[in-house]
Amino acid sequence: MSNFYVTTPIYYVNDLPHIGHIYTTVVADTVARYRRMAGDDVYFLTGTDEHGQNIERAAHRQGLEPLELADRVVARYHQLWQELGFSHDDFIRTTEPRHRRGVNLLIELIRKAGDLYVDRHEGWYCSSCEAFYTEKELFAGDSCPVHESPVEWRSEENVFFRLSRYQRPLLEWYEQHPESVRPESRANEVRSFVESGLRDLSVSRAGLSWGIPFPGSAKQTVYVWLDALTNYISALGFGGDSADDQNLYQKYWGGEDGTRLHLVGKDILRFHAVYWPAFLLSAGLPLPTTVWAHGWWLRDQRKISKSVGNIVRPDHLLTDFGADPLRFYLLRDMVFGQDAGFSDEGFVDRFNGDLANDLGNTVSRLVTLSRRAFSGGTPAERCEDNRLIAAAAEATGAYRRAMDELGFHRALEALWRLLAEANQYLVSREPWKLLKSEGASQRVSRVLWNAMEAVRIVAVGLLPVMPRTAPRVLAALGIARPPEDLAAMSWGGLPTGGELPQPEALFPRIDREIYLGAATQNSTGAAVGDIGEKDAEEGQQMITIDQFSQTDLKVGTVLSAEPIPGSDKLLKLTVDLGAESRTLVAGIARQYQPDELTGRQVVIVANLQPARLMGVESQGMVLAADVDGDPVLLVPGRPVPDGTPVR
Ligand code: MSP
């Protein structure tokens, strides 16, 4: 048995979880469940990143203290993580005292190594990334290359970490441990970044109150990334003094053997594959065995993210289908490591094709036949010689190789090849005809048993991916307790003469037309401006009149309206507010022609933080009634002067 530590990034609490956050955690949970079934001693960590300017600002915008915002968002994370069936062993919050102890100890070790000094720091700063960029790295000359939002110039005195010292040791680490950064293409990027030279890194911020005070440097706060990365060891008790803390840390991080796997999105690879190992090298601590970066879920060819404004929330999919179909879709439709497009159409097609048709129908057909033939039970006789045995061995081997390499889509393809084989086998043997002509003969028994056994193996392989539904498939085949060991994938596990429950519809087909009609309105937050924060409040609490009055609503006249290239949903509006005019991006292109908008009065939110949508900065949001997903613009009852407030 070997120790296996797997982590997700810790998520910022300035937004509610969306499909991107869910994805990394689905991957981590699947890996954790698979490794447990493979016999490893697994520890699975996830959590939240709660410090920094971004979070402080988001909280203040909502009239909250940062910790209040964090508490609310974390409550949602806990609820959602449970709904999604995640089996994490711990959930760390960077506002916990145990985390602060870990950060303090790490900094102490780095200081002892002589790797900290104070200096002045200047540069372009993106507060969403909490990172400095050079002029060369900026997008369109003035914006963050990740968020495409404006950067700000910062100049301050900071504590610096001697990152430049670790150029050689890092290159040696990559060289000596080919598995340290995966996939290979990303490892090459990281290596060339380090080869091009490392500048020392500022690891404190001045004038930021929401964070961990930098030990030994008054008025400085620990840089959020140094703070956040430490979660991977503080959660294991690093910095704690109890025996339990030390044992846990020693078991999953401190020892030389075992696996320490960080799963991250490609956007944060540099922090994990360069800065984090450099901090650890400086402190004399073991390094992760692997940092594995995955790609992005895209919508309209752009990363799904709050700042782009194309968020996909999971709520409607979870309410309508439960967690497992979403887990399945995310793992099946993304080649791990590459980008993939998220779409409701894709989800529905996967659901109807793979789950309802290939898996669900096969199970119900087999169970119905077997119950009819064998008085409500599994076939009376098994069979040890047939073509499905070889197909199962091939599929199981391919599945395991793919899962070991985090090739989830290939692992699922392998299981579906076995399902297809089982179906072809049934079509060629026609047990339904045999049953009519020969009754519950030995032949019928063997054919049905074989096909059911193949489906059982598929269901065992699905346990890490669909932890609630795969046991239902097994229960439908008469196996009440799902196996805990991958050894159950070998041929022969289906009992003969067992009882078969009345079949239930495992994956009722989705009516594509009806569902997609409704889903367009549900899944995206980009219909009219950015409604990301709206969900945070929805259904949770009433607001006071004071809170409402913080929203600056105004009437304005549309001076011009034009389509935004590359988007069939968004229009760019210029709106006259009397004293000023504003550029706004509104998701109304499907309902309104640009011509019919010019000269019309609209109501806008004038004090919304600007957001960049499809490369255009929207300085506010146009209000519209949401009629089954169709925006209908709000207008004053009679023309009023531009800039008139709305209360
Ligand atoms: N707090 C930092 C991580 C600190 S880890 C020590 C952070 N948080 S985040 O909430 O912005 O995003 C965390 C992770 O969410 C990303 O790295 C990525 O794993 C995942 N995703 C967010 N959007 C995504 C997509 N559109 N697609 C896939 N995953 C992406 O960064």
Side-chain angles (χ1 to χ4, degrees), residues 169-189:
L170 283 170
L171 290 172
E172 275 165 22
W173 178 53
Y174 307 141
E175 180 72 30
Q176 285 159 16
H177 299 89
E179 75 294 354
S180 55
V181 184
R182 310 281 311 265
E184 190 52 33
S185 55
R186 300 255 165 246
N188 293 337
E189 282 169 24

Side-chain angles (χ1 to χ4, degrees), residues 8-14 18-24 48-49 77 128 147 224-225 227-232 263-268 272 294-298 302-305 334:
T8 70
I10 48 172
Y11 302 104
Y12 288 132
V13 290
N14 58 344
H18 64 65
I19 222 74
H21 310 129
I22 287 171
Y23 176 67
T24 323
T48 40
D49 190 353
Y77 265 99
S128 301
H147 296 92
V224 279
W225 274 99
D227 171 344
L229 289 160
T230 311
N231 90 87
Y232 300 129
L263 296 167
V264 298
K266 63 180 181 181
D267 44 336
I268 55 173
H272 284 81
H294 63 72
W296 288 338
W297 282 100
L298 310 175
R302 305 188 68 201
K303 181 191 179 200
I304 290 176
S305 82
M334 180 178 264

Side-chain angles (χ1 to χ4, degrees), residues 174 204 215 286 324 326 328 352 447 488 528 540 575-576 635:
Y174 307 141
S204 78
D324 282 0
L326 176 61
F328 179 83
N352 282 345
V447 170
V528 183
Q540 287 188 2
V575 176
D576 186 356
V635 282

